[in-house]
Amino acid sequence: MEDFFNFDNLKEEYDVVIIGGGPAGLTAGIYAARDDLNTLILEKNFPGGQVAITEIIENYPGFLEGISGGELTEKLFQHAKQFGVEIKNGMCKGIEFCDGYKYVSLQYKDIKIKTKTVIIASGAKPKHLEVPGENKFLGRGISFCATCDGAFYKDKVVAVIGGGDSAVEEGHYLTKFAKKVYIVHRRDKLRAAKILQDRAFANPKIEFIWNSVVKKVNGEDKIESITLYDKKLGKTHDLKVDGVFVFIGWNADTEAFKGLLELDESGFIIADETTHTNVPGIFAAGDVRKKELRQIVTAVADGAVAAKMAERYIEENFPQEG
Ligand code: NAP
């Protein structure tokens, strides 16, 4: 792991620099290096990204008993290393261009890394409530993923926070398990698509709590209730729940690419399933890409595609070496 912090042994030039060492980035690394491309992954925190802090993943194909996020991350990390991928701790500041090459600059380090292609796999983070008690129950009662954690709430009572497509769709999905789902929204009108709203209104297990915001998450060893503030009545009350699913939007990790890449209004990189961005030779993979389903399985799929596209780009643009 000490090599993770050592930039002395950087190559003069890479075929692929991958920004982000989560499942998309590590998979892109595996595919690129296996195709004999000189590959460097830059990860700003620790390999694995969001997944590394997920307690148990039950929906990643092939792991019948589930697998912990830490273990899956370690396997992906070792797999990438096995094919010769270099993985370093660094945060991308920006990308410059010269003579057909790209130069990735880093925050806090006076280094520019020369590369033929860049794969951006810097991920996205679900927005947090930022109220007392939230951090205490992260990953053990507070969830940002119904597909991942819904099954833990069989016959329990859960609160879903938010009024967009995710909250309403995931709230409906959670009624497969939970006996009661409260959807808590800060206004009296949903942002979600009409078709999703109609389905949720018709679901007897869903109850909406309007004009309300979460002030606190309460409990000793597990969540017991949330404190809600009713903005219309100006009053607070406690709502008994066993779990809280937060769907109040996402933040993409794309600050460094503003002005260079085409982003949507939430900062996600616009690229289709071939992962091509508006800049030739720069690809976007995983949660950072504008897409419908943000899951590990869709992230690793993107990673594989992006590596293939990078290889093709090198063949076409650097024919003597590709
Ligand atoms: P979103 O559309 O940004 O909605 C976030 C919701 O959370 C809004 O209702 C917002 O309230 C509320 N909210 C934001 N900050 C809050 C806070 N601090 N406290 C309480 N509530 C807060 O996010 P999303 O639902 O995750 O959707 C993201 C994108 O993915 C959208 O483009 C969506 O259409 C798309 N998506 C599509 C589908 C589908 O088509 N099947 C499914 C999921 C997501 P306000 O309404 O008052 O702003």
Side-chain angles (χ1 to χ4, degrees), residues 127-130 161-170 184-193 195-196 199 212-214 231 246-250 264-266 268 290-294:
K127 285 187 195 161
H128 287 204
L129 291 168
E130 287 167 21
I161 318 301
D165 285 345
S166 296
V168 176
E169 194 167 52
E170 302 299 310
V184 179
H185 185 34
R186 64 183 177 182
R187 293 188 291 134
D188 63 357
K189 278 196 183 61
L190 295 171
R191 179 182 290 275
I195 189 167
L196 298 177
R199 203 174 59 178
S212 297
V213 290
V214 180
K231 298 197 291 182
V246 182
F247 299 109
I248 59 172
W250 291 80
D264 77 359
E265 64 285 351
S266 305
F268 293 101
K290 185 179 167 71
K291 56 156 69 174
E292 280 296 321
L293 184 65
R294 293 196 165 85

Side-chain angles (χ1 to χ4, degrees), residues 6-318:
N6 178 16
F7 277 78
D8 293 342
N9 54 1
L10 270 185
K11 291 194 173 65
E12 237 170 66
E13 173 188 328
Y14 288 88
D15 294 315
V16 190
V17 168
I18 298 166
I19 296 164
L26 289 167
T27 305
I30 292 167
Y31 273 72
R34 195 162 173 270
D35 277 340
D36 220 16
L37 301 177
N38 270 330
T39 305
L40 171 70
I41 294 180
L42 293 169
E43 165 56 50
K44 72 174 178 184
N45 292 322
F46 46 84
Q50 283 280 108
V51 175
I53 52 165
T54 304
E55 196 157 307
I56 182 93
I57 297 150
E58 286 190 321
N59 58 356
Y60 193 71
F63 293 94
L64 275 66
E65 310 298 328
I67 181 166
S68 76
E71 195 184 344
L72 182 61
T73 296
E74 179 62 16
K75 283 182 189 297
L76 287 169
F77 179 75
Q78 293 303 342
H79 202 164
K81 299 271 296 178
Q82 180 181 302
F83 285 117
V85 177
E86 293 173 34
I87 305 177
K88 307 261 180 224
N89 179 252
M91 183 171 172
C92 174
K93 189 163 74 178
I95 303 172
E96 291 158 38
F97 303 83
C98 186
D99 294 337
Y101 283 87
K102 290 151 185 74
Y103 292 81
V104 176
S105 57
L106 299 186
Q107 295 274 14
Y108 317 119
K109 279 190 187 73
D110 193 18
I111 295 175
K112 286 191 179 160
I113 303 167
K114 184 179 180 185
T115 179
K116 294 178 183 127
T117 62
V118 177
I119 295 174
I120 299 170
S122 50
K125 289 192 206 102
K127 285 187 195 161
H128 287 204
L129 291 168
E130 287 167 21
V131 296
E134 183 181 41
N135 283 343
K136 177 176 170 187
F137 291 110
L138 280 184
R140 48 189 202 100
I142 300 267
S143 172
F144 302 89
C145 176
T147 318
C148 318
D149 298 328
F152 297 124
Y153 293 92
K154 193 159 166 40
D155 298 326
K156 302 250 163 102
V157 178
V158 299
V160 167
I161 318 301
D165 285 345
S166 296
V168 176
E169 194 167 52
E170 302 299 310
H172 180 77
Y173 171 79
L174 284 166
T175 61
K176 279 173 86 158
F177 312 101
K179 66 178 177 195
K180 175 99 193 172
V181 174
Y182 292 103
I183 299 185
V184 179
H185 185 34
R186 64 183 177 182
R187 293 188 291 134
D188 63 357
K189 278 196 183 61
L190 295 171
R191 179 182 290 275
K194 173 96 171 45
I195 189 167
L196 298 177
Q197 295 194 26
D198 290 347
R199 203 174 59 178
F201 290 143
N203 187 326
K205 284 184 168 181
I206 294 180
E207 186 180 324
F208 284 88
I209 299 180
W210 303 106
N211 301 306
S212 297
V213 290
V214 180
K215 285 289 179 194
K216 233 164 79 181
V217 181
N218 312 302
E220 284 298 321
D221 298 326
K222 57 188 185 60
I223 292 181
E224 284 154 25
S225 68
I226 50 177
T227 302
L228 298 179
Y229 175 69
D230 185 318
K231 298 197 291 182
K232 256 198 169 149
L233 300 176
K235 285 185 178 160
T236 56
H237 72 279
D238 286 355
L239 179 73
K240 279 191 163 183
V241 292
D242 301 299
V244 181
F245 287 80
V246 182
F247 299 109
I248 59 172
W250 291 80
N251 291 319
D253 236 342
T254 50
E255 263 316 298
F257 315 113
K258 274 187 185 157
L260 170 66
L261 298 180
E262 217 182 313
L263 308 176
D264 77 359
E265 64 285 351
S266 305
F268 293 101
I269 299 174
I270 295 177
D272 64 13
E273 71 272 21
T274 68
T275 74
H276 285 92
T277 69
N278 57 309
V279 177
I282 300 184
F283 306 89
D287 285 0
V288 76
R289 182 168 79 80
K290 185 179 167 71
K291 56 156 69 174
E292 280 296 321
L293 184 65
R294 293 196 165 85
Q295 293 282 290
I296 302 170
V297 76
T298 60
V300 300
D302 274 6
V305 173
K308 230 21 196 181
M309 295 301 123
E311 186 193 14
R312 201 173 283 173
Y313 175 88
I314 292 168
E315 273 170 15
E316 286 166 4
N317 292 277
F318 299 85

